[in-house]
Amino acid sequence: MELVLKIFQTILSVVAILILYRYVYMAIGFFGKAKKFKEAETEHKFAVVICAKNEEKVIGNLLDSIKAQNYPQDKLHVFVIADNCDDNTASIAAEKGATVYERHDAKHARKGWALEFGFHKIREEFGIDGFEGYCIFDADNLLHPDYMREMNKAFDEGKLDVIQGYRNTKNFDTNWISASYGLFFYRQSAAYHRPRQILHTSTNLSGTGYLIRSRALEEGWRWASLTEDTQFTMHLVSSGMKVGYCEAAEFFDEQPTDLRTTLRQRLRWSKGRIYAFFAYGYKLVAGLFRKKTNKWSCYDMFFSFFPDGLGTALLAIASFLISFITMAVNGGFSAAVAEYTTVTVLKTALIALGIAWGSGMLVSALVAIRERKKIRCGKAKLVWYIVISPWFDLIGTPLSVVSLFMHVTWKKIKHVDDKKIEDVISVPALTEKNAAASEKTESE
């Protein structure tokens, strides 16, 4: 047993060395500048695909923000997949001009399956190549007026198969929970997406707000795990396709504001990522030996999804248990020894927790400074949110352990924030964009 433990410990030590490059990425992201794409020569034709389950409170605002795009409306076609809805989501979407596909399959109520259904319908009626690209959104999203125009610039370059947009938070300052989510996604932009863009390597997809070139969907949508974005990223990178990043393409997302919903969602993330890694991670390893793949991207994505936190937690638990078992077998077990060992372990754990919390606060502070222009929150509240933010990362490891012993299913997150796009960006800026778009349409 001790031999197995030592082997496992050696593996984690090697992994720790192999992922040191992440700190280099973080420095590049914090101090580097995101690429600005040149003006596009062509205004490409895109489909917008939205999955929605009982989203009557927010779906209309998203569709309005699409209509407010500084981009020709005749180049955009909106599809709404009303997935097992029993409210007015479908009728609201239809009234606002979207093509609506209603789906009723309660046993497979999940975003991945809804997308599979939606793309099947699109293939039947329009053909996958009927559109040059497909933008994927959740019903609670809002788009900056320049989102499509900026995405089109990145798309027009022709080098990227999938493009992730900049994920902002429309309810950042609601409370400490939504703010922690916001800081987490700002960190993703600064420490994950931006450095990979600067270094011209693939990044990972982040749930929503991304554009897929139609050639990447020739076989339809085939990813329906608890974290379909992770699964899809693995497929793309291991197949030699490139996942890029367009920081200027900003969209807004609603984050949970209660602890119960957060724990449920984070549990799903943990379970989904663990499943995806062990079920599909081998494809990234195989990609290291294929001619048409980017070897570094395969390596990078493999270790990005590697569950090192889970491995460390399991190693710590196993070490603690083995020490007690060894003492009992050798006759050295006593109440005094047990107490000493327990106290020592607890002290070590508290020191590690303190270090993790301090480093987490530092990273959040650096992120907040780097992304300050994007954060809509008062300075005093922001400081408090930075101090409390490390909890969001620290719960990830115990939730990963718990997820191993639980049957985790997808459950809808209720969206109640009914902000419109003019509520999260300055009204004059939006009015100016709309006026310019209207003048262009009239002149044509």
PDB file of all heavy atoms in Angstrom, residues 88-110:
ATOM      1  N   ASN A  88     -43.616  30.800 -21.483  1.00  0.00           N
ATOM      2  CA  ASN A  88     -43.795  31.536 -22.739  1.00  0.00           C
ATOM      3  C   ASN A  88     -42.487  31.767 -23.499  1.00  0.00           C
ATOM      4  O   ASN A  88     -42.426  32.649 -24.363  1.00  0.00           O
ATOM      5  CB  ASN A  88     -44.454  32.885 -22.449  1.00  0.00           C
ATOM      6  CG  ASN A  88     -45.859  32.732 -21.908  1.00  0.00           C
ATOM      7  OD1 ASN A  88     -46.636  31.901 -22.393  1.00  0.00           O
ATOM      8  ND2 ASN A  88     -46.196  33.532 -20.910  1.00  0.00           N
ATOM      9  N   THR A  89     -41.456  31.005 -23.194  1.00  0.00           N
ATOM     10  CA  THR A  89     -40.172  31.195 -23.868  1.00  0.00           C
ATOM     11  C   THR A  89     -40.307  31.108 -25.382  1.00  0.00           C
ATOM     12  O   THR A  89     -39.819  31.981 -26.111  1.00  0.00           O
ATOM     13  CB  THR A  89     -39.154  30.139 -23.382  1.00  0.00           C
ATOM     14  OG1 THR A  89     -38.903  30.325 -21.997  1.00  0.00           O
ATOM     15  CG2 THR A  89     -37.848  30.265 -24.143  1.00  0.00           C
ATOM     16  N   ALA A  90     -40.957  30.070 -25.875  1.00  0.00           N
ATOM     17  CA  ALA A  90     -41.069  29.849 -27.324  1.00  0.00           C
ATOM     18  C   ALA A  90     -41.845  30.974 -28.004  1.00  0.00           C
ATOM     19  O   ALA A  90     -41.436  31.473 -29.056  1.00  0.00           O
ATOM     20  CB  ALA A  90     -41.733  28.498 -27.590  1.00  0.00           C
ATOM     21  N   SER A  91     -42.957  31.387 -27.413  1.00  0.00           N
ATOM     22  CA  SER A  91     -43.792  32.429 -28.034  1.00  0.00           C
ATOM     23  C   SER A  91     -43.070  33.779 -28.043  1.00  0.00           C
ATOM     24  O   SER A  91     -43.148  34.521 -29.030  1.00  0.00           O
ATOM     25  CB  SER A  91     -45.131  32.543 -27.305  1.00  0.00           C
ATOM     26  OG  SER A  91     -44.953  32.868 -25.941  1.00  0.00           O
ATOM     27  N   ILE A  92     -42.348  34.104 -26.968  1.00  0.00           N
ATOM     28  CA  ILE A  92     -41.604  35.370 -26.923  1.00  0.00           C
ATOM     29  C   ILE A  92     -40.520  35.380 -27.996  1.00  0.00           C
ATOM     30  O   ILE A  92     -40.336  36.375 -28.711  1.00  0.00           O
ATOM     31  CB  ILE A  92     -40.981  35.584 -25.530  1.00  0.00           C
ATOM     32  CG1 ILE A  92     -42.072  35.837 -24.490  1.00  0.00           C
ATOM     33  CG2 ILE A  92     -39.999  36.757 -25.543  1.00  0.00           C
ATOM     34  CD1 ILE A  92     -41.565  35.869 -23.062  1.00  0.00           C
ATOM     35  N   ALA A  93     -39.805  34.261 -28.116  1.00  0.00           N
ATOM     36  CA  ALA A  93     -38.739  34.165 -29.113  1.00  0.00           C
ATOM     37  C   ALA A  93     -39.304  34.294 -30.529  1.00  0.00           C
ATOM     38  O   ALA A  93     -38.727  34.977 -31.385  1.00  0.00           O
ATOM     39  CB  ALA A  93     -37.999  32.851 -28.954  1.00  0.00           C
ATOM     40  N   ALA A  94     -40.434  33.642 -30.787  1.00  0.00           N
ATOM     41  CA  ALA A  94     -41.055  33.704 -32.108  1.00  0.00           C
ATOM     42  C   ALA A  94     -41.522  35.123 -32.433  1.00  0.00           C
ATOM     43  O   ALA A  94     -41.363  35.610 -33.556  1.00  0.00           O
ATOM     44  CB  ALA A  94     -42.221  32.731 -32.176  1.00  0.00           C
ATOM     45  N   GLU A  95     -42.097  35.790 -31.447  1.00  0.00           N
ATOM     46  CA  GLU A  95     -42.568  37.164 -31.645  1.00  0.00           C
ATOM     47  C   GLU A  95     -41.428  38.110 -31.993  1.00  0.00           C
ATOM     48  O   GLU A  95     -41.627  39.105 -32.695  1.00  0.00           O
ATOM     49  CB  GLU A  95     -43.274  37.660 -30.381  1.00  0.00           C
ATOM     50  CG  GLU A  95     -44.644  37.027 -30.146  1.00  0.00           C
ATOM     51  CD  GLU A  95     -45.217  37.383 -28.791  1.00  0.00           C
ATOM     52  OE1 GLU A  95     -44.590  38.209 -28.075  1.00  0.00           O
ATOM     53  OE2 GLU A  95     -46.282  36.851 -28.436  1.00  0.00           O
ATOM     54  N   LYS A  96     -40.239  37.802 -31.504  1.00  0.00           N
ATOM     55  CA  LYS A  96     -39.081  38.660 -31.765  1.00  0.00           C
ATOM     56  C   LYS A  96     -38.299  38.215 -32.992  1.00  0.00           C
ATOM     57  O   LYS A  96     -37.184  38.679 -33.237  1.00  0.00           O
ATOM     58  CB  LYS A  96     -38.189  38.717 -30.530  1.00  0.00           C
ATOM     59  CG  LYS A  96     -38.829  39.507 -29.383  1.00  0.00           C
ATOM     60  CD  LYS A  96     -37.884  39.683 -28.219  1.00  0.00           C
ATOM     61  CE  LYS A  96     -38.528  40.569 -27.140  1.00  0.00           C
ATOM     62  NZ  LYS A  96     -38.626  41.987 -27.566  1.00  0.00           N
ATOM     63  N   GLY A  97     -38.878  37.300 -33.768  1.00  0.00           N
ATOM     64  CA  GLY A  97     -38.314  36.960 -35.067  1.00  0.00           C
ATOM     65  C   GLY A  97     -37.400  35.761 -35.126  1.00  0.00           C
ATOM     66  O   GLY A  97     -36.823  35.471 -36.177  1.00  0.00           O
ATOM     67  N   ALA A  98     -37.254  35.043 -34.035  1.00  0.00           N
ATOM     68  CA  ALA A  98     -36.370  33.876 -34.038  1.00  0.00           C
ATOM     69  C   ALA A  98     -37.074  32.653 -34.629  1.00  0.00           C
ATOM     70  O   ALA A  98     -38.298  32.525 -34.548  1.00  0.00           O
ATOM     71  CB  ALA A  98     -35.901  33.562 -32.624  1.00  0.00           C
ATOM     72  N   THR A  99     -36.283  31.767 -35.230  1.00  0.00           N
ATOM     73  CA  THR A  99     -36.793  30.454 -35.622  1.00  0.00           C
ATOM     74  C   THR A  99     -36.744  29.582 -34.377  1.00  0.00           C
ATOM     75  O   THR A  99     -35.678  29.396 -33.791  1.00  0.00           O
ATOM     76  CB  THR A  99     -35.932  29.841 -36.732  1.00  0.00           C
ATOM     77  OG1 THR A  99     -35.983  30.664 -37.897  1.00  0.00           O
ATOM     78  CG2 THR A  99     -36.417  28.438 -37.074  1.00  0.00           C
ATOM     79  N   VAL A 100     -37.896  29.046 -33.982  1.00  0.00           N
ATOM     80  CA  VAL A 100     -37.994  28.320 -32.718  1.00  0.00           C
ATOM     81  C   VAL A 100     -38.195  26.832 -32.974  1.00  0.00           C
ATOM     82  O   VAL A 100     -39.073  26.433 -33.739  1.00  0.00           O
ATOM     83  CB  VAL A 100     -39.145  28.861 -31.852  1.00  0.00           C
ATOM     84  CG1 VAL A 100     -39.227  28.081 -30.536  1.00  0.00           C
ATOM     85  CG2 VAL A 100     -38.940  30.341 -31.573  1.00  0.00           C
ATOM     86  N   TYR A 101     -37.380  26.029 -32.340  1.00  0.00           N
ATOM     87  CA  TYR A 101     -37.543  24.576 -32.359  1.00  0.00           C
ATOM     88  C   TYR A 101     -37.900  24.128 -30.939  1.00  0.00           C
ATOM     89  O   TYR A 101     -37.099  24.291 -30.017  1.00  0.00           O
ATOM     90  CB  TYR A 101     -36.250  23.883 -32.790  1.00  0.00           C
ATOM     91  CG  TYR A 101     -35.810  24.193 -34.201  1.00  0.00           C
ATOM     92  CD1 TYR A 101     -34.483  24.491 -34.482  1.00  0.00           C
ATOM     93  CD2 TYR A 101     -36.720  24.182 -35.253  1.00  0.00           C
ATOM     94  CE1 TYR A 101     -34.062  24.766 -35.775  1.00  0.00           C
ATOM     95  CE2 TYR A 101     -36.318  24.458 -36.555  1.00  0.00           C
ATOM     96  CZ  TYR A 101     -34.990  24.756 -36.802  1.00  0.00           C
ATOM     97  OH  TYR A 101     -34.585  25.038 -38.093  1.00  0.00           O
ATOM     98  N   GLU A 102     -39.082  23.584 -30.794  1.00  0.00           N
ATOM     99  CA  GLU A 102     -39.504  23.120 -29.472  1.00  0.00           C
ATOM    100  C   GLU A 102     -39.145  21.651 -29.306  1.00  0.00           C
ATOM    101  O   GLU A 102     -39.406  20.825 -30.173  1.00  0.00           O
ATOM    102  CB  GLU A 102     -41.010  23.333 -29.292  1.00  0.00           C
ATOM    103  CG  GLU A 102     -41.409  24.805 -29.288  1.00  0.00           C
ATOM    104  CD  GLU A 102     -42.839  25.017 -28.825  1.00  0.00           C
ATOM    105  OE1 GLU A 102     -43.149  24.630 -27.669  1.00  0.00           O
ATOM    106  OE2 GLU A 102     -43.640  25.556 -29.618  1.00  0.00           O
ATOM    107  N   ARG A 103     -38.572  21.348 -28.171  1.00  0.00           N
ATOM    108  CA  ARG A 103     -38.098  19.998 -27.890  1.00  0.00           C
ATOM    109  C   ARG A 103     -38.720  19.494 -26.598  1.00  0.00           C
ATOM    110  O   ARG A 103     -38.744  20.200 -25.591  1.00  0.00           O
ATOM    111  CB  ARG A 103     -36.567  20.003 -27.772  1.00  0.00           C
ATOM    112  CG  ARG A 103     -35.942  18.678 -27.381  1.00  0.00           C
ATOM    113  CD  ARG A 103     -34.419  18.813 -27.395  1.00  0.00           C
ATOM    114  NE  ARG A 103     -33.760  17.570 -26.995  1.00  0.00           N
ATOM    115  CZ  ARG A 103     -33.408  17.265 -25.752  1.00  0.00           C
ATOM    116  NH1 ARG A 103     -33.630  18.131 -24.762  1.00  0.00           N
ATOM    117  NH2 ARG A 103     -32.831  16.120 -25.467  1.00  0.00           N
ATOM    118  N   HIS A 104     -39.212  18.248 -26.624  1.00  0.00           N
ATOM    119  CA  HIS A 104     -39.850  17.673 -25.433  1.00  0.00           C
ATOM    120  C   HIS A 104     -39.262  16.282 -25.187  1.00  0.00           C
ATOM    121  O   HIS A 104     -39.659  15.299 -25.804  1.00  0.00           O
ATOM    122  CB  HIS A 104     -41.367  17.594 -25.628  1.00  0.00           C
ATOM    123  CG  HIS A 104     -42.002  18.934 -25.889  1.00  0.00           C
ATOM    124  ND1 HIS A 104     -42.204  19.866 -24.892  1.00  0.00           N
ATOM    125  CD2 HIS A 104     -42.436  19.502 -27.044  1.00  0.00           C
ATOM    126  CE1 HIS A 104     -42.767  20.946 -25.412  1.00  0.00           C
ATOM    127  NE2 HIS A 104     -42.909  20.758 -26.706  1.00  0.00           N
ATOM    128  N   ASP A 105     -38.285  16.242 -24.322  1.00  0.00           N
ATOM    129  CA  ASP A 105     -37.616  14.996 -23.961  1.00  0.00           C
ATOM    130  C   ASP A 105     -37.056  15.164 -22.556  1.00  0.00           C
ATOM    131  O   ASP A 105     -35.884  15.500 -22.361  1.00  0.00           O
ATOM    132  CB  ASP A 105     -36.502  14.673 -24.956  1.00  0.00           C
ATOM    133  CG  ASP A 105     -35.850  13.318 -24.684  1.00  0.00           C
ATOM    134  OD1 ASP A 105     -36.205  12.676 -23.676  1.00  0.00           O
ATOM    135  OD2 ASP A 105     -34.969  12.918 -25.478  1.00  0.00           O
ATOM    136  N   ALA A 106     -37.900  14.947 -21.570  1.00  0.00           N
ATOM    137  CA  ALA A 106     -37.526  15.206 -20.173  1.00  0.00           C
ATOM    138  C   ALA A 106     -36.369  14.332 -19.697  1.00  0.00           C
ATOM    139  O   ALA A 106     -35.626  14.709 -18.791  1.00  0.00           O
ATOM    140  CB  ALA A 106     -38.740  15.005 -19.268  1.00  0.00           C
ATOM    141  N   LYS A 107     -36.194  13.141 -20.308  1.00  0.00           N
ATOM    142  CA  LYS A 107     -35.124  12.244 -19.883  1.00  0.00           C
ATOM    143  C   LYS A 107     -33.749  12.741 -20.339  1.00  0.00           C
ATOM    144  O   LYS A 107     -32.727  12.318 -19.802  1.00  0.00           O
ATOM    145  CB  LYS A 107     -35.373  10.837 -20.425  1.00  0.00           C
ATOM    146  CG  LYS A 107     -36.567  10.133 -19.780  1.00  0.00           C
ATOM    147  CD  LYS A 107     -36.700   8.722 -20.307  1.00  0.00           C
ATOM    148  CE  LYS A 107     -37.864   7.987 -19.637  1.00  0.00           C
ATOM    149  NZ  LYS A 107     -38.000   6.600 -20.138  1.00  0.00           N
ATOM    150  N   HIS A 108     -33.745  13.600 -21.335  1.00  0.00           N
ATOM    151  CA  HIS A 108     -32.484  14.130 -21.861  1.00  0.00           C
ATOM    152  C   HIS A 108     -32.527  15.650 -21.859  1.00  0.00           C
ATOM    153  O   HIS A 108     -32.290  16.301 -22.876  1.00  0.00           O
ATOM    154  CB  HIS A 108     -32.217  13.601 -23.275  1.00  0.00           C
ATOM    155  CG  HIS A 108     -32.093  12.115 -23.338  1.00  0.00           C
ATOM    156  ND1 HIS A 108     -33.171  11.284 -23.541  1.00  0.00           N
ATOM    157  CD2 HIS A 108     -31.013  11.304 -23.197  1.00  0.00           C
ATOM    158  CE1 HIS A 108     -32.753  10.021 -23.536  1.00  0.00           C
ATOM    159  NE2 HIS A 108     -31.453  10.001 -23.330  1.00  0.00           N
ATOM    160  N   ALA A 109     -32.856  16.213 -20.711  1.00  0.00           N
ATOM    161  CA  ALA A 109     -32.942  17.671 -20.570  1.00  0.00           C
ATOM    162  C   ALA A 109     -31.569  18.222 -20.194  1.00  0.00           C
ATOM    163  O   ALA A 109     -31.223  18.345 -19.021  1.00  0.00           O
ATOM    164  CB  ALA A 109     -33.978  18.033 -19.514  1.00  0.00           C
ATOM    165  N   ARG A 110     -30.785  18.536 -21.195  1.00  0.00           N
ATOM    166  CA  ARG A 110     -29.426  19.025 -20.969  1.00  0.00           C
ATOM    167  C   ARG A 110     -29.006  19.819 -22.198  1.00  0.00           C
ATOM    168  O   ARG A 110     -29.430  19.531 -23.317  1.00  0.00           O
ATOM    169  CB  ARG A 110     -28.478  17.864 -20.711  1.00  0.00           C
ATOM    170  CG  ARG A 110     -27.073  18.269 -20.281  1.00  0.00           C
ATOM    171  CD  ARG A 110     -26.156  17.063 -20.209  1.00  0.00           C
ATOM    172  NE  ARG A 110     -26.559  16.115 -19.172  1.00  0.00           N
ATOM    173  CZ  ARG A 110     -26.053  14.902 -19.025  1.00  0.00           C
ATOM    174  NH1 ARG A 110     -25.132  14.477 -19.881  1.00  0.00           N
ATOM    175  NH2 ARG A 110     -26.460  14.117 -18.055  1.00  0.00           N
TER     176      ARG A 110
END
